[in-house]
Amino acid sequence: SYKERQPILATIELVDGTPLTEDLPITPDLSVAKVLEICSHFLSLTDERSSMFGIFVVDIEDDDDDASTRADPAEFSSYSAARRDGSAPGGDDPPPLPMHMVNTSIPPRTPRPLRSKDYLGDITVAMVRQHIRFTFVYKRKIFLPGSDGPSKDPVFMRLSYLQAADEVISGNIPIK
């Protein structure tokens, strides 16, 4: 399995950014399911709902990543290239696109859960190749009706609180 994927050192955080593990050695044969077992062991989770937690990939937005530093896709059109060369017919600039056709917003980056059969090394390689900064976050991914009762496990309660606070702060749960 070392020929298929590289071993990595993974840092996995809690929802509030607190490191759960730093530079955890992940061998190529460790799937997300096994890493979740390790994380649950590190946290000493005893609640039976600990199986509802997962590892999410969260893209980290760059502070300098704003619209003014992005290239305009129109600059790469064949007409734009011909205009720069002086070979465009008429030499006039094309009319601007109507505002409803111009996408000035970038969709928000969404945390995405990893499947149990995924490998952190594969995700790391894919994200690095795309030049995307990211982090792994340990949080609950399954919420079933009737499964949100109180727990005797203080760690489970703390993780639930942190995730609820994060959802409210990020605007996923509206407050009236």
Side-chain angles (χ1 to χ4, degrees):
S1 64
Y2 281 86
K3 291 180 182 179
E4 295 175 22
R5 64 183 63 87
Q6 296 288 321
I8 63 165
L9 296 175
T11 297
I12 302 171
E13 300 176 350
L14 299 179
V15 177
D16 66 347
T18 306
L20 171 58
T21 67
E22 290 183 305
D23 296 335
L24 176 69
I26 304 290
T27 59
D29 59 334
L30 281 180
S31 66
V32 168
K34 293 293 184 186
V35 175
L36 285 170
E37 288 178 25
I38 293 169
C39 291
S40 294
H41 176 74
F42 283 171
L43 289 168
S44 301
L45 276 171
T46 58
D47 194 287
E48 64 276 356
R49 294 170 285 187
S50 64
S51 62
M52 295 181 179
F53 282 84
I55 296 177
F56 286 68
V57 178
V58 179
D59 296 343
I60 300 172
E61 295 186 31
D62 293 329
D63 292 339
D64 61 340
D65 190 23
D66 63 359
S68 63
T69 61
R70 288 196 194 96
D72 180 7
E75 292 299 315
F76 299 105
S77 69
S78 57
Y79 182 85
S80 297
R83 193 166 26 111
R84 278 192 303 274
D85 296 345
S87 60
D92 294 329
D93 289 337
L97 291 173
M99 283 309 291
H100 72 278
M101 295 179 68
V102 177
N103 183 9
T104 57
S105 66
I106 296 172
R109 295 179 176 177
T110 306
R112 49 205 175 279
L114 298 177
R115 298 174 300 179
S116 295
K117 64 182 182 177
D118 289 337
Y119 294 90
L120 294 183
D122 292 345
I123 303 301
T124 300
V125 168
M127 299 299 272
V128 168
R129 284 184 179 160
Q130 296 174 29
H131 304 287
I132 298 173
R133 293 182 52 223
F134 69 97
T135 186
F136 293 117
V137 177
Y138 181 83
K139 66 181 195 174
R140 190 168 170 186
K141 65 179 181 176
I142 300 174
F143 293 90
L144 299 174
S147 68
D148 286 333
S151 174
K152 294 181 180 178
D153 183 357
V155 175
F156 180 85
M157 294 300 289
R158 176 73 178 156
L159 293 173
S160 297
Y161 171 78
L162 290 174
Q163 188 162 349
D166 182 66
E167 294 294 321
V168 169
I169 291 169
S170 65
N172 294 335
I173 298 176
I175 302 293
K176 295 179 184 182

